[in-house]
């Protein structure tokens, strides 16, 4: 993974159309601004992880349960 | 074409019905092709079966059948990536997480599966909306199946 050190107000560009701005650092919390075209999705990591976990839980494991669903 | 499934055995499918998830779904990024199978005629549940992995299948349901006020705007990223031009070509499903009982089972309203029925492009969309839960209880009363 590429790791860069930045100060408040400094930016990082990803490609030609995504700009990341470090807007505030307070203790353990960092506020990050993201300027990106609307066709680029921005999702918090823990939310994506939660969806991922939920998908893993939802994989069908038993045909018996499925048969019961049919009733 | 024939595919192998763990729960329905070997089945024949129409290859033009295969759904294309360009980036897979979270947790299953390498699974790009699925087919939607009807469980039985009257059921509100369907199976989303992976084409390449026979043991990978999900139960889907139509969220509007469970939650009457379920609605959301499809974001621009999704409209673009699925090439959606018209509301009428969109189908929306939710993944059901089946537990030991229906009462303990949940449905993911936060991240619906959105399908462009015209070109078969599909995506699991993560909604920017706090009203919908990832694990919404599948209450027995609301299941008409």
């Amino acid at each position: 993974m590429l790791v860069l050190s930045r100060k408040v107000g400094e930016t990082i560009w990803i490609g030609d159309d995504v700009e990341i701005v470090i807007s505030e650092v307070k203790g353990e919390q960092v506020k990050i601004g993201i300027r990106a075209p609307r066709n680029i999705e921005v999702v918090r990591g823990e939310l994506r992880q939660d969806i991922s976990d939920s998908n893993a839980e939802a994989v069908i494991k038993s045909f018996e349960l499925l048969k019961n669903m049919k009733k | 074409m024939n595919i192998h499934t763990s729960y329905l055995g070997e089945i024949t499918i129409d290859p033009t019905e295969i759904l294309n998830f360009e980036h897979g779904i979270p947790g299953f990024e390498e699974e790009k092709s699925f087919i939607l199978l009807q469980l039985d005629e009257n059921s509100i549940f369907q199976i989303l079966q992976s084409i390449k992995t026979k043991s990978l299948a999900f139960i889907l349901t139509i969220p509007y059948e469970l939650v009457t006020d379920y609605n959301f705007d499809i974001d621009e990223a999704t409209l673009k990536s699925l090439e959606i031009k018209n509301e009428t070509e969109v189908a929306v499903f939710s993944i059901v997480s089946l537990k030991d009982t229906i009462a303990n089972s949940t449905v993911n309203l936060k991240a619906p599966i959105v399908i462009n029925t015209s070109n078969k492009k599909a995506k699991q969309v993560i909604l920017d909306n706090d009203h919908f839960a990832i694990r919404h209880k599948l209450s027995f009363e609301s299941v008409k199946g």
Side-chain angles (χ1 to χ4, degrees):
Chain A
M1 190 175 15
L2 171 68
V3 179
L4 303 172
S5 291
R6 303 276 65 199
K7 292 189 177 115
V8 170
E10 292 182 334
T11 65
I12 296 168
W13 281 82
I14 300 174
D16 291 326
D17 47 14
V18 178
E19 186 185 21
I20 309 286
V21 186
I22 308 306
S23 69
E24 189 185 311
V25 179
K26 211 193 253 172
E28 290 201 333
Q29 207 165 31
V30 181
K31 275 193 185 159
I32 296 173
I34 300 156
R35 211 172 277 133
R38 297 193 57 160
N39 63 343
I40 296 208
E41 267 170 278
V42 179
V43 175
R44 286 181 178 80
E46 65 274 21
L47 176 56
R48 187 175 163 104
Q49 185 58 49
D50 207 356
I51 302 290
S52 176
D53 292 347
S54 169
N55 284 344
E57 285 163 28
V59 174
I60 301 174
K61 290 159 199 88
S62 148
F63 193 42
E64 289 309 303
L65 282 168
L66 256 186
K67 280 198 283 195
N68 292 336
M69 295 290 275
K70 285 188 180 187
K71 285 178 196 162
Chain B
M1 101 185 234
N2 285 10
I3 61 163
H4 295 273
T5 76
S6 287
Y7 303 104
L8 303 168
E10 188 176 346
I11 54 165
T12 304
I13 59 157
D14 176 354
T16 65
E17 293 295 320
I18 292 174
L19 301 174
N20 170 28
F21 289 74
E22 194 185 353
H23 302 287
I25 62 171
F28 300 90
E29 285 79 3
E30 298 309 313
E31 294 283 348
K32 319 246 187 224
S33 300
F34 287 86
I35 185 105
L36 203 52
L37 305 168
Q38 193 65 38
L39 205 48
D40 67 39
E41 272 182 36
N42 302 317
S43 179
I44 62 164
F45 299 105
Q46 273 128 322
I47 295 179
L48 186 70
Q49 169 70 49
S50 158
I51 300 294
K52 76 165 184 182
T53 309
K54 76 173 199 178
S55 60
L56 183 63
F58 298 94
I59 296 169
L60 300 189
T61 194
I62 299 164
Y64 312 105
E65 302 267 350
L66 298 173
V67 184
T68 47
D69 60 348
Y70 189 73
N71 69 77
F72 58 88
D73 289 327
I74 297 178
D75 62 293
E76 225 167 287
T78 303
L79 290 177
K80 219 166 230 178
S81 65
L82 300 187
E83 296 166 17
I84 294 168
K85 292 173 193 75
N86 196 318
E87 201 180 314
T88 55
E89 61 189 1
V90 176
V92 175
F93 293 92
S94 295
I95 297 180
V96 177
S97 186
L98 208 54
K99 301 288 160 50
D100 50 341
T101 64
I102 297 238
N104 286 337
S105 299
T106 59
V107 56
N108 185 345
L109 298 179
K110 177 85 174 171
I113 303 280
V114 176
I115 300 170
N116 180 342
T117 56
S118 306
N119 61 14
K120 308 298 172 197
K121 288 183 181 226
K123 182 178 160 181
Q124 186 173 23
V125 177
I126 301 176
L127 300 180
D128 185 16
N129 179 331
D130 290 334
H131 303 305
F132 302 132
I134 296 175
R135 294 172 184 84
H136 178 91
K137 285 271 182 205
L138 189 68
S139 71
F140 196 70
E141 290 74 23
S142 63
V143 178
K144 289 177 271 180

